[in-house]
Amino acid sequence: GESVGLHLPTLSVQEGDNSIINCAYSNSASDYFIWYKQESGKGPQFIIDIRSNMDKRQGQRVTVLLNKTVKHLSLQIAATQPGDSAVYFCADYSTLTFGKGTMLLVSP
Amino acid sequence: DVKVTQSSRYLVKRTGEKVFLECVQDMDHENMFWYRQDPGLGLRLIYFSYDVKMKEKGDIPEGYSVSREKKERFSLILESASTNQTSMYLCASTQGRNRGETQYFGPGTRLLVL
């Protein structure tokens, strides 16, 4: 079956650092991806999305990069803040498949 | 803002009990989804619905059923709860029928089956 996976289960950074969270997908025909943030005890919250006709998309302090050649996408968070601490996961909406999540821990 | 609400944040049930999880969205969305989320496994689709009285099985429908009598409400039913159904249950909705649309999630229901 299809799979969407994250490379690192936990990422620890210092406040102010840039964070990069990675995700791999397996369906070469997938064309729509979303990154979600999920804080403890809460439902997932939409962060940013990207379609396959783009390689990069930027939001406020976040950037998503899509490399269709190697079926990989990443979420970059600039100037990470303690409030960014959460689980982040990617979703392949073409197959409704979700990554297992990476815990981002931000130290003050 | 889209609002998806779930009837309970926490539930404790006993093995064999019938359990109802309710989800309501207030944006007239056509599509609604039920997932369970387990550590190390991510979100897994249980059932979804594209219209009133319509349902389709997701990846792990065994042990569950659903009901969609009204457009805004999508219920997940555990006919006879088992301990392996202890999980976080998330409801989501989307406006249209295109799978490429953003899903809006509810806050989740943490179910413990003893």
Side-chain angles (χ1 to χ4, degrees):
Chain A
E2 303 297 335
S3 66
V4 179
L6 290 166
H7 296 305
L8 294 173
T10 303
L11 176 64
S12 296
V13 301
Q14 294 287 322
E15 182 177 2
D17 287 352
N18 295 331
S19 303
I20 300 176
I21 300 172
N22 297 304
C23 184
Y25 63 96
S26 58
N27 181 5
S28 57
S30 293
D31 62 2
Y32 183 55
F33 304 89
I34 294 178
W35 278 100
Y36 283 97
K37 173 185 180 182
Q38 188 173 17
E39 297 174 277
S40 180
K42 297 183 179 179
Q45 181 183 7
F46 173 93
I47 301 174
I48 191 167
D49 61 354
I50 189 166
R51 295 192 183 273
S52 60
N53 60 351
M54 304 173 70
D55 297 323
K56 179 180 180 178
R57 190 159 189 223
Q58 289 184 293
Q60 188 176 18
R61 285 200 305 117
V62 294
T63 301
V64 55
L65 299 176
L66 176 63
N67 185 328
K68 294 178 286 294
T69 302
V70 295
K71 292 181 284 191
H72 180 272
L73 66 160
S74 65
L75 176 70
Q76 301 179 1
I77 305 174
T80 314
Q81 303 168 358
D84 294 328
S85 293
V87 173
Y88 292 82
F89 60 91
C90 62
D92 174 354
Y93 267 86
S94 299
T95 59
L96 273 183
T97 312
F98 297 80
K100 297 175 176 57
T102 292
M103 170 73 78
L104 177 64
L105 300 174
V106 184
S107 304
Chain B
D1 286 345
V2 175
K3 193 167 184 181
V4 180
T5 58
Q6 295 181 227
S7 54
S8 304
R9 295 299 303 276
Y10 302 95
L11 274 180
V12 181
K13 298 291 182 181
R14 295 203 176 275
T15 301
E17 281 193 73
K18 191 169 186 176
V19 183
F20 293 87
L21 303 182
E22 304 286 341
C23 176
V24 177
Q25 48 90 7
D26 65 358
M27 287 300 292
D28 201 35
H29 282 181
E30 293 192 15
N31 308 321
M32 298 187 74
F33 305 79
W34 274 108
Y35 297 89
R36 62 179 284 175
Q37 185 178 35
D38 300 288
L41 296 177
L43 268 71
R44 292 181 291 167
L45 181 62
I46 305 172
Y47 267 98
F48 59 102
S49 169
Y50 284 143
D51 203 350
V52 175
K53 295 190 186 295
M54 180 274 181
K55 61 185 179 184
E56 289 192 30
K57 293 180 180 179
D59 299 321
I60 52 163
E62 296 78 20
Y64 303 94
S65 62
V66 291
S67 173
R68 187 136 183 234
E69 296 297 320
K70 293 184 178 181
K71 190 174 185 179
E72 67 271 17
R73 187 180 297 270
F74 192 34
S75 303
L76 180 68
I77 303 156
L78 287 66
E79 294 290 341
S80 178
S82 62
T83 54
N84 62 12
Q85 291 178 310
T86 291
S87 187
M88 169 77 138
Y89 289 88
L90 288 162
C91 175
S93 71
T94 61
Q95 186 169 13
R97 293 176 179 271
N98 185 347
R99 267 198 169 185
E101 295 196 30
T102 304
Q103 290 193 339
Y104 297 91
F105 284 89
T109 296
R110 287 192 179 275
L111 173 65
L112 173 62
V113 182
L114 300 175

XYZ file of all heavy atoms in Angstrom, chain A residues 5-45:
318
model
N 5.932 8.629 5.297
C 6.724 8.438 6.495
C 7.580 9.623 6.833
O 7.888 10.455 5.997
N 7.903 9.765 8.079
C 8.779 10.806 8.576
C 10.091 10.199 8.984
O 10.160 9.095 9.499
C 8.119 11.529 9.748
C 6.935 12.405 9.385
C 6.149 12.796 10.599
C 7.373 13.632 8.629
N 11.195 10.923 8.750
C 12.496 10.356 9.006
C 12.876 10.376 10.477
O 13.586 9.492 10.946
C 13.534 11.098 8.186
C 13.328 10.939 6.706
N 13.244 9.714 6.108
C 13.171 11.847 5.721
C 13.057 9.879 4.807
N 13.012 11.143 4.543
N 12.478 11.413 11.237
C 12.901 11.546 12.610
C 11.696 11.620 13.521
O 10.825 12.455 13.349
C 13.730 12.821 12.792
C 15.076 12.893 12.077
C 15.673 14.280 12.235
C 16.022 11.837 12.635
N 11.654 10.816 14.566
C 10.528 10.898 15.475
C 10.566 12.114 16.377
O 9.532 12.601 16.781
C 10.655 9.616 16.283
C 12.081 9.231 16.189
C 12.559 9.705 14.869
N 11.741 12.616 16.739
C 11.869 13.760 17.632
C 12.957 14.689 17.121
O 14.016 14.241 16.709
C 12.221 13.309 19.060
O 11.233 12.404 19.526
C 12.264 14.507 19.992
N 12.667 15.988 17.166
C 13.633 16.996 16.781
C 13.707 18.031 17.892
O 12.700 18.652 18.222
C 13.219 17.660 15.461
C 14.085 18.818 14.971
C 15.487 18.322 14.663
C 13.462 19.476 13.740
N 14.883 18.207 18.467
C 15.075 19.181 19.534
C 15.910 20.337 19.013
O 16.987 20.121 18.457
C 15.786 18.525 20.728
O 14.978 17.501 21.280
N 15.415 21.557 19.191
C 16.121 22.743 18.717
C 16.095 23.810 19.798
O 15.290 23.751 20.738
C 15.507 23.298 17.410
C 15.549 22.252 16.310
C 14.095 23.788 17.637
N 16.953 24.791 19.622
C 16.974 25.952 20.507
C 16.090 27.045 19.900
O 15.968 27.163 18.670
C 18.396 26.484 20.664
C 19.338 25.525 21.381
C 19.048 25.444 22.863
O 18.720 26.446 23.491
N 19.168 24.246 23.421
N 15.513 27.836 20.780
C 14.703 28.966 20.331
C 15.535 29.845 19.401
O 16.689 30.161 19.688
C 14.233 29.772 21.534
C 13.347 30.946 21.189
C 12.842 31.671 22.427
O 13.213 31.273 23.556
O 12.048 32.620 22.272
N 14.938 30.217 18.277
C 15.631 31.050 17.310
C 16.264 30.268 16.168
O 16.552 30.851 15.113
N 16.482 28.980 16.393
C 17.031 28.144 15.320
C 15.987 27.939 14.226
O 14.788 28.142 14.444
C 17.439 26.772 15.857
C 18.686 26.821 16.703
O 19.335 27.895 16.754
O 19.008 25.789 17.325
N 16.465 27.501 13.091
C 15.553 27.052 12.031
C 15.361 25.545 12.167
O 16.313 24.811 12.453
C 16.135 27.380 10.654
C 16.245 28.878 10.431
O 15.471 29.662 10.970
N 17.232 29.273 9.642
N 14.141 25.086 11.959
C 13.815 23.661 12.072
C 13.441 23.104 10.703
O 12.796 23.783 9.913
C 12.641 23.452 13.026
O 12.908 23.992 14.291
N 13.844 21.875 10.472
C 13.480 21.208 9.228
C 12.924 19.831 9.567
O 13.586 19.035 10.237
C 14.683 21.054 8.277
C 15.250 22.417 7.907
C 14.261 20.290 7.010
C 16.500 22.353 7.057
N 11.728 19.576 9.111
C 11.077 18.287 9.323
C 10.835 17.660 7.961
O 10.346 18.326 7.048
C 9.752 18.461 10.090
C 10.030 19.105 11.450
C 9.056 17.114 10.270
C 8.773 19.509 12.208
N 11.179 16.406 7.840
C 11.127 15.734 6.540
C 10.016 14.697 6.459
O 9.555 14.169 7.463
C 12.460 15.048 6.270
C 13.588 16.030 6.183
O 13.555 16.962 5.382
N 14.601 15.850 7.026
N 9.637 14.419 5.222
C 8.568 13.451 4.968
C 8.806 12.807 3.609
O 9.184 13.489 2.653
C 7.221 14.167 5.000
S 5.789 13.104 4.831
N 8.592 11.508 3.541
C 8.694 10.801 2.270
C 7.335 10.229 1.913
O 6.570 9.847 2.787
C 9.721 9.683 2.368
N 7.047 10.181 0.635
C 5.815 9.556 0.186
C 6.144 8.558 -0.907
O 7.236 8.577 -1.472
C 4.792 10.607 -0.285
C 5.222 11.427 -1.482
C 4.824 11.083 -2.768
C 6.001 12.557 -1.314
C 5.206 11.839 -3.857
C 6.392 13.318 -2.401
C 5.996 12.963 -3.667
O 6.381 13.720 -4.746
N 5.198 7.689 -1.205
C 5.519 6.601 -2.131
C 4.715 6.610 -3.429
O 5.103 5.940 -4.392
C 5.328 5.254 -1.439
O 4.008 5.121 -0.969
N 3.634 7.376 -3.467
C 2.813 7.383 -4.662
C 3.274 8.495 -5.607
O 3.072 9.671 -5.336
C 1.346 7.586 -4.277
C 0.418 7.577 -5.475
O 0.840 7.326 -6.603
N -0.856 7.840 -5.237
N 3.883 8.132 -6.703
C 4.427 9.128 -7.621
C 3.338 9.984 -8.268
O 3.618 11.058 -8.788
C 5.262 8.448 -8.713
O 4.476 7.494 -9.396
N 2.095 9.511 -8.231
C 0.995 10.283 -8.817
C 0.362 11.249 -7.825
O -0.504 12.042 -8.196
C -0.068 9.331 -9.350
N 0.786 11.220 -6.581
C 0.212 12.121 -5.572
C 0.501 13.562 -5.934
O 1.606 13.908 -6.350
C 0.787 11.805 -4.193
O 0.352 10.532 -3.767
N -0.525 14.411 -5.767
C -0.352 15.777 -6.232
C -0.782 16.838 -5.235
O -0.840 18.029 -5.587
C -1.093 15.973 -7.561
C -2.591 15.751 -7.419
O -3.055 15.481 -6.290
O -3.294 15.836 -8.434
N -1.098 16.433 -4.019
C -1.492 17.446 -3.039
C -1.085 16.988 -1.660
O -1.443 15.893 -1.220
C -3.007 17.674 -3.094
C -3.504 18.756 -2.169
C -2.977 20.042 -2.226
C -4.505 18.502 -1.242
C -3.436 21.035 -1.386
C -4.969 19.489 -0.397
C -4.436 20.758 -0.473
O -4.894 21.743 0.357
N -0.344 17.875 -0.965
C 0.201 17.539 0.343
C -0.079 18.663 1.330
O -0.118 19.840 0.960
C 1.722 17.328 0.258
C 2.122 16.287 -0.746
C 2.364 16.640 -2.067
C 2.253 14.959 -0.376
C 2.732 15.688 -3.004
C 2.617 13.996 -1.304
C 2.859 14.363 -2.628
N -0.250 18.273 2.573
C -0.498 19.249 3.633
C 0.397 18.920 4.821
O 0.626 17.741 5.132
C -1.980 19.219 4.074
C -2.887 19.696 2.942
C -2.199 20.093 5.317
C -4.363 19.651 3.304
N 0.870 19.963 5.472
C 1.541 19.808 6.760
C 0.586 20.250 7.855
O -0.044 21.308 7.759
C 2.810 20.649 6.825
C 3.989 20.007 6.171
C 4.489 20.267 4.929
C 4.834 18.995 6.738
N 5.589 19.482 4.689
C 5.816 18.692 5.778
C 4.859 18.317 7.959
C 6.816 17.740 6.005
C 5.832 17.375 8.183
C 6.811 17.094 7.216
N 0.519 19.417 8.908
C -0.310 19.724 10.058
C 0.557 19.871 11.302
O 1.591 19.225 11.445
C -1.328 18.612 10.322
C -2.513 18.601 9.391
C -2.541 17.771 8.279
C -3.615 19.416 9.632
C -3.640 17.751 7.437
C -4.717 19.400 8.790
C -4.712 18.574 7.698
O -5.805 18.567 6.858
N 0.078 20.701 12.217
C 0.664 20.836 13.546
C -0.362 20.334 14.546
O -1.526 20.704 14.471
C 0.994 22.305 13.833
C 1.446 22.595 15.254
C 1.620 24.107 15.446
C 2.074 24.433 16.859
N 2.198 25.903 17.089
N 0.079 19.493 15.464
C -0.843 18.990 16.472
C -0.233 19.160 17.852
O 0.754 18.532 18.203
C -1.180 17.519 16.227
C -2.281 16.988 17.137
C -2.713 15.580 16.771
O -2.015 14.864 16.059
N -3.878 15.176 17.241
N -0.846 20.038 18.628
C -0.408 20.244 19.997
C -1.042 19.195 20.894
O -2.070 18.610 20.555
C -0.773 21.656 20.448
C -0.066 22.732 19.638
C -0.544 24.123 19.979
O -1.581 24.528 19.435
O 0.121 24.783 20.793
N -0.422 18.988 22.018
C -0.856 17.935 22.929
C -2.326 18.104 23.302
O -2.738 19.186 23.734
C 0.015 17.966 24.189
O -0.386 16.949 25.080
N -3.098 17.060 23.117
C -4.508 17.071 23.505
C -5.427 17.793 22.542
O -6.613 17.972 22.834
N -4.897 18.192 21.378
C -5.716 18.929 20.415
C -5.739 18.217 19.074
O -4.917 17.354 18.792
C -5.170 20.350 20.233
C -5.219 21.195 21.496
C -4.733 22.601 21.212
C -4.799 23.464 22.461
N -4.312 24.850 22.209
N -6.685 18.618 18.238
C -6.752 18.077 16.891
C -5.710 18.713 15.990
O -5.156 19.770 16.299
N -5.415 18.090 14.859
C -4.434 18.657 13.913
C -4.892 20.003 13.373
O -6.082 20.216 13.124
C -4.396 17.613 12.793
C -4.888 16.352 13.407
C -5.906 16.779 14.419
N -3.936 20.870 13.165
C -4.201 22.205 12.662
C -3.430 22.403 11.361
O -2.229 22.160 11.294
C -3.760 23.233 13.700
C -3.991 24.670 13.313
C -3.457 25.625 14.372
O -2.812 25.221 15.324
N -3.722 26.896 14.196
